[in-house]
Amino acid sequence: MSSGTAEKMAATVEQLREQIRKLQAAPRKYLATLRTGVEAFDALLPAGGLPLGQVVELWGEAASGRTSLGLRAVASAHREGRLCAYVDGPWELYPPAAMAAGVDPSRLLLVRPKTAEQLAWSAVQLVRSGAFACVVLDLTRAPPGTGKGEGGVRLSPAEGKRLMEAAVRGGTLLLLLTAPEAPADGMMRLRTEARGDEGLSVEVVRSRQGGIGSRALVPWRELYPELGEWETPWGGELLPAEDVTVPELAREQAPREGHRGIMGQRPGRDVPMPSLRASLDAGSALH
């Protein structure tokens, strides 16, 4: 090996060492948290963002904003060039809505297990792989066709332990979306609640990092920046509050004998209810 080649290799090695030293000296807060970009929500969390390597539970009723917060976390990871996975228990993730929240479909692995028993198992494998910065596990309902009803999927203690161990070892943020009747056992539990036109209320009800009882109100416009000035997430409009006087209308007195049909008879009482075909034929004959 020539002296010139040896010098180039030594210089390359020194550059690599310098880059490693810079990475090791980087602030731990940046490396250990994932900010969603929703300022009111991030400020509520003890670490200033969602902690990587932990299990965080977004717990609330349907339409309480839990899925929207999860998608904002995924979108934040995508902006940093990272990969994410989404285990869709109810099979209800709507791709256009996810993309509107900033999710990059080319960086998202969507998994839809066919049974409720496969939900936790799938999440464990994804977290253990170490390939994803954030994995979302939607436990709000069981997969369709399983006959599990409308309630949420409850994790067993063994499943919860495996998920927690996998998240800690892999350094992955595992977000659990859970229903009120089936809470999980995450390291941090955040209760979400829609507050009408005001926005989304988020409360820390469980945390190993402190801050229990803290609450923040996230305006809808901050959670959904694509909304217009008076639009709401459910498709309606916010109207300025004003006093409206509603006139009292006279109530019509209903006849005591009840409603009577074309022949003066009461359907379901005097005679059997006519079939749909018979009604249509009778209407044609009148014309």
Side-chain angles (χ1 to χ4, degrees), residues 169-257:
R169 291 183 180 180
T172 300
L173 167 64
L174 176 58
L175 281 177
L176 303 180
L177 309 183
T178 57
E181 64 272 14
D185 193 21
M187 299 178 182
M188 179 183 294
R189 179 183 297 162
L190 305 173
R191 176 162 49 199
T192 61
E193 182 181 2
R195 289 297 181 90
D197 297 343
E198 298 180 5
L200 167 67
S201 172
V202 184
E203 180 185 4
V204 181
V205 296
R206 178 176 182 175
S207 175
R208 296 186 179 182
Q209 299 177 340
I212 297 178
S214 302
R215 186 191 301 266
L217 182 64
V218 181
W220 293 124
R221 289 291 304 279
E222 188 174 339
L223 187 60
Y224 304 99
E226 67 277 7
L227 292 178
E229 182 177 1
W230 297 106
E231 291 181 341
T232 62
W234 48 88
E237 293 186 355
L238 297 177
L239 300 178
E242 58 182 15
D243 295 333
V244 178
T245 302
V246 180
E248 184 176 355
L249 302 178
R251 296 183 179 180
E252 183 178 354
Q253 190 72 20
R256 292 186 177 181
E257 63 272 13

Side-chain angles (χ1 to χ4, degrees), residues 136-159:
V136 180
L137 174 56
D138 190 343
L139 298 170
T140 56
R141 282 202 301 164
T146 58
K148 297 292 184 178
E150 295 295 325
V153 178
R154 186 180 294 272
L155 296 174
S156 68
E159 290 173 330

Side-chain angles (χ1 to χ4, degrees), residues 50-62:
L50 293 166
L52 300 180
Q54 293 193 22
V55 179
V56 178
E57 179 184 0
L58 298 176
W59 176 54
E61 299 279 356

Side-chain angles (χ1 to χ4, degrees), residues 66-89:
R66 57 195 177 187
T67 303
S68 298
L69 287 173
L71 292 177
R72 291 298 296 268
V74 170
S76 176
H78 286 171
R79 287 193 295 269
E80 297 181 3
R82 303 184 185 186
L83 301 176
C84 298
Y86 197 105
V87 183
D88 187 10

